[in-house]
Each structure stands twice: as structure tokens, then as C-alpha cells.
């Protein structure tokens, strides 16, 4: 941290962007390429550039993880270099739309327009490119139909993950449950069962009195806060997971060829999906407008 501050003090023309992970870095590097090359701006995954221990995050009242590291660095730079123009810190909104994650206004801190970076791919243009070019999906599989099919599941998973996190039990949705997720079942009984299975692997004396029914009641409270912009209520890594689930149910033949077989892995499909996003689809997104303006002008005040 001290070395970074010294660098910015001695080299005021240096411009850096810090993001949560390497996939975010690659995504922004591609879509901010003209500005980053002309301004010599570097883009880093935060853990590749600055070491921040979990203890430092907890001491600052932040959740452990890469988002917490971004917030920590934003706080440190704003305190040590007030009014700086040296760095942009990009954080996912995560659960902020539900009031469960901080969305502090810190100098140099920029939030994604939606809950995660992957949400920028959830539009008909990007998904149509994925279906037609990357997967050669049949015409009856449309981008709008795909969105309609996976949206309820994405929102449910987002709310479930939040309820489990807030429970303090350390419980999570198992890969087995995710792999068999029923896109058509949003029943209350089904949700309670998901919470039951998540708590089942936690010893009874470590559940803090949490029950499936109590977690479901909290789920319903958060569900009332969900609005029409569903991209504010999705976990990024669930996107490719549910797309694969949908395609396997509706047209599994898209994965039959040797070349496309690897795309049934959600991790692989996510890489391909994000590469389908085009610059024109990001031009009106506030985060990209803010970053491009800062890179061109060298100041946050323009």
C-alpha cells in the first residue's frame, strides 16, 4: 500500500484500474482498449497488485473477498491521497440493491451498473450472438425465450445465496442441487427444501437456531424488494450455469459436436458468453461512460 501511494505521489500521470478478478480485468481491458492504450492506463485484478489480508478487511468492517479488497483500497487511497485521480476501483454491486451490501460513495470507487459484471451479457444482442454463432442453436431457441426461462431461477438463487450468507452458518447451495435445478419449479415447498439441504450439512449446534422455514421467511422479505431490472438480482456465476441447464433441457444437441462439447461446462461457457458482448452494447452503461471520461480527462471532476 505504501509503495502504491509513493508511486502515485511521484508519478501523478499514472492511471490504474483495479477490479475484483482476472476475468473482470480481461473484460474491461477489451472494452476500454482504445482509452487504455492512449492514456497508458493499466488494469489489474486487485490481488495481482496489492496484498490485503483478511484480517485487515475484518478490522475495517468489510467482508472478506475481492470485493472487500476493492473497497478497502478505495478507502485507503481516499484517506492517503484525497482527491486523487490515479486510480479507479471497480466493485460489483452484489447485494447492494437489496440493502445487504455497502454501496458507499468513496472517491475513485465505481460500481457495476448491475449486481455483477456478467449481467452486462444478459441482453438479447449478446445472447443471440452466443446462440447463433457460438452454439449454432436452432431458430426456435431465441434470446428472449432464454432470458424468460432463466430469469426466475437466477433471481431465486440470488436471494437464496443472500439468505444463507446472512444466516451466519456458512451454509451454501451444493453443486448437486445446482446441477439439477428445476427451472420451472419456483414453489415455496421447493425453496424450503433447498434451505433444508443447505443446512443439513451443518452440525445442528452450529446453525445458530436457523431453520429452513426461518430462512424462507427472510427470502420472502427480500423478494418484495426485487424490481423490474432483474439484472440487479443475479449472481454472476449462476448465469452460465442456468444457460447450460436450459440448453440441455431444450436442445442438448448443441453440445453434441466435438468442438462445442466443452461449452457444456458453465466455466467455459461463461468465457465464451462474455466474449460475445460488443462495445455498442456498453456505450450507454454508466460505469463505462464514467471510466472512459476519467481515462480521457484524467480527473473525476469532469
Amino acid at each position: 500500500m505504501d509503495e502504491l501511494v509513493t508511486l502515485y505521489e511521484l508519478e501523478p500521470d499514472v492511471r490504474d484500474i483495479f477490479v475484483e478478478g482476472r476475468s473482470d480485468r480481461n473484460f474491461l481491458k477489451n472494452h476500454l482498449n482504445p482509452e487504455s492504450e492512449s492514456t497508458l492506463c493499466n488494469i489489474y485484478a486487485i490481488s495481482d497488485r496489492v496484498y490485503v489480508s483478511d484480517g485487515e478487511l475484518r478490522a475495517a468492517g468489510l467482508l472478506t473477498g475481492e470485493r472487500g479488497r476493492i473497497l478497502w483500497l478505495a478507502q485507503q487511497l481516499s484517506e492517503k491521497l484525497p482527491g486523487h485521480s490515479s486510480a479507479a476501483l471497480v466493485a460489483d454491486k452484489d447485494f447492494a440493491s437489496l440493502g445487504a451490501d455497502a454501496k458507499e460513495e468513496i472517491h475513485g470507487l465505481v460500481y457495476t451498473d448491475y449486481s455483477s459484471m456478467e449481467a452486462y451479457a444478459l441482453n438479447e444482442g449478446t445472447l443471440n450472438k452466443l446462440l447463433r454463432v457460438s452454439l449454432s442453436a436452432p431458430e426456435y431457441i431465441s434470446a428472449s425465450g432464454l432470458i424468460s426461462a432463466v430469469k426466475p431461477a437466477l433471481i431465486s438463487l440470488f436471494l437464496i445465496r443472500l439468505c444463507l450468507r446472512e444466516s451466519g452458518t456458512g451454509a451454501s447451495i451444493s453443486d448437486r442441487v445446482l446441477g439439477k435445478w428445476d427451472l420451472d419449479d419456483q414453489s415455496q415447498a421447493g425453496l424450503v427444501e433447498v434451505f433444508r439441504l443447505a443446512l443439513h450439512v451443518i452440525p445442528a449446534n452450529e446453525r445458530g437456531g436457523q431453520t429452513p422455514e426461518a430462512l424462507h421467511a427472510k427470502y420472502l422479505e427480500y423478494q418484495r424488494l426485487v424490481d423490474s431490472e432483474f439484472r440487479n438480482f443475479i449472481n454472476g456465476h449462476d448465469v452460465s450455469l442456468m444457460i447450460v441447464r436450459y440448453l440441455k433441457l431444450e436442445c442438448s444437441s448443441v453440445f453434441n459436436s466435438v468442438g462445442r462439447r466443452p461449452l457444456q461446462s458453465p466455466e467455459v461457457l461463461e468465457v465464451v458468453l462474455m466474449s460475445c458482448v460488443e462495445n455498442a452494447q456498453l456505450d450507454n452503461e454508466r460505469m463505462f461512460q464514467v471510466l472512459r471520461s476519467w481515462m480521457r480527462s484524467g480527473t473525476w471532476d469532469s
Side-chain angles (χ1 to χ4, degrees):
M1 185 67 229
D2 291 338
E3 292 176 6
L4 195 64
V5 169
T6 300
L7 170 65
Y8 292 156
E9 288 176 332
L10 296 177
E11 301 288 347
D13 292 333
V14 167
R15 295 288 177 271
D16 291 328
I17 297 176
F18 296 92
V19 296
E20 293 183 27
R22 292 174 183 172
S23 58
D24 292 346
R25 177 200 63 192
N26 296 339
F27 183 67
L28 287 191
K29 196 167 185 177
N30 178 63
H31 292 289
L32 296 174
N33 187 54
E35 287 86 358
S36 64
E37 286 192 347
S38 63
T39 58
L40 300 179
C41 180
N42 295 304
I43 304 177
Y44 299 102
I46 186 163
S47 292
D48 287 341
R49 188 73 174 89
V50 181
Y51 174 74
V52 188
S53 69
D54 287 351
E56 288 174 298
L57 295 179
R58 285 191 286 266
L62 297 168
L63 292 173
T64 57
E66 301 309 90
R67 185 180 191 270
R69 288 177 171 81
I70 289 286
L71 298 180
W72 182 90
L73 182 57
Q75 292 172 351
Q76 293 294 311
L77 290 176
S78 68
E79 292 172 7
K80 299 177 186 296
L81 295 172
H84 73 86
S85 295
S86 300
L89 300 306
V90 178
D92 285 349
K93 278 204 308 189
D94 277 5
F95 298 111
S97 295
L98 295 173
D101 274 327
K103 192 172 179 292
E104 301 176 63
E105 296 299 323
I106 304 173
H107 183 79
L109 181 61
V110 183
Y111 292 97
T112 53
D113 295 279
Y114 312 108
S115 57
S116 66
M117 201 72 75
E118 289 79 7
Y120 288 110
L122 278 175
N123 59 76
E124 291 191 19
T126 297
L127 292 173
N128 190 61
K129 185 176 179 181
L130 174 75
L131 292 171
R132 303 281 91 82
V133 179
S134 303
L135 292 166
S136 291
E139 291 297 326
Y140 70 85
I141 301 295
S142 67
S144 60
L146 190 158
I147 291 174
S148 296
V150 303
K151 181 167 69 173
L154 290 174
I155 294 173
S156 288
L157 288 169
F158 185 77
L159 299 179
I160 291 168
R161 291 183 188 282
L162 174 57
C163 292
L164 291 175
R165 190 191 78 175
E166 298 292 282
S167 73
T169 62
S172 61
I173 310 172
S174 71
D175 291 341
R176 183 171 178 274
V177 169
L178 288 171
K180 295 185 176 181
W181 194 268
D182 187 343
L183 294 174
D184 296 321
D185 182 12
Q186 305 300 319
S187 68
Q188 304 307 304
L191 293 170
V192 172
E193 177 64 8
V194 172
F195 285 123
R196 187 191 70 77
L197 291 172
L199 289 175
H200 182 70
V201 299
I202 306 296
N205 63 347
E206 295 179 16
R207 297 176 192 171
Q210 294 287 353
T211 66
E213 293 73 21
L215 292 177
H216 179 247
K218 192 66 177 177
Y219 174 101
L220 294 176
E221 289 180 23
Y222 282 127
Q223 188 180 46
R224 298 186 190 99
L225 302 177
V226 175
D227 59 35
S228 59
E229 181 46 88
F230 81 99
R231 289 176 291 182
N232 282 326
F233 309 99
I234 62 165
N235 175 278
H237 297 309
D238 287 338
V239 174
S240 57
L241 188 69
M242 290 301 107
I243 290 176
V244 169
R245 185 77 181 128
Y246 171 77
L247 292 173
K248 283 188 172 182
L249 292 170
E250 298 296 324
C251 57
S252 59
S253 60
V254 297
F255 299 120
N256 285 349
S257 70
V258 174
R260 295 191 179 92
R261 201 165 295 147
L263 297 182
Q264 63 188 312
S265 162
E267 293 80 10
V268 175
L269 188 76
E270 182 177 301
V271 173
V272 175
L273 173 65
M274 296 308 288
S275 71
C276 289
V277 180
E278 298 183 355
N279 282 334
Q281 293 159 342
L282 301 172
D283 285 345
N284 295 321
E285 302 289 6
R286 179 184 175 276
M287 184 186 79
F288 285 88
Q289 292 176 344
V290 168
L291 290 174
R292 285 170 179 153
S293 175
W294 166 73
M295 293 166 77
R296 287 192 297 264
S297 67
T299 175
W300 291 110
D301 299 324
S302 61

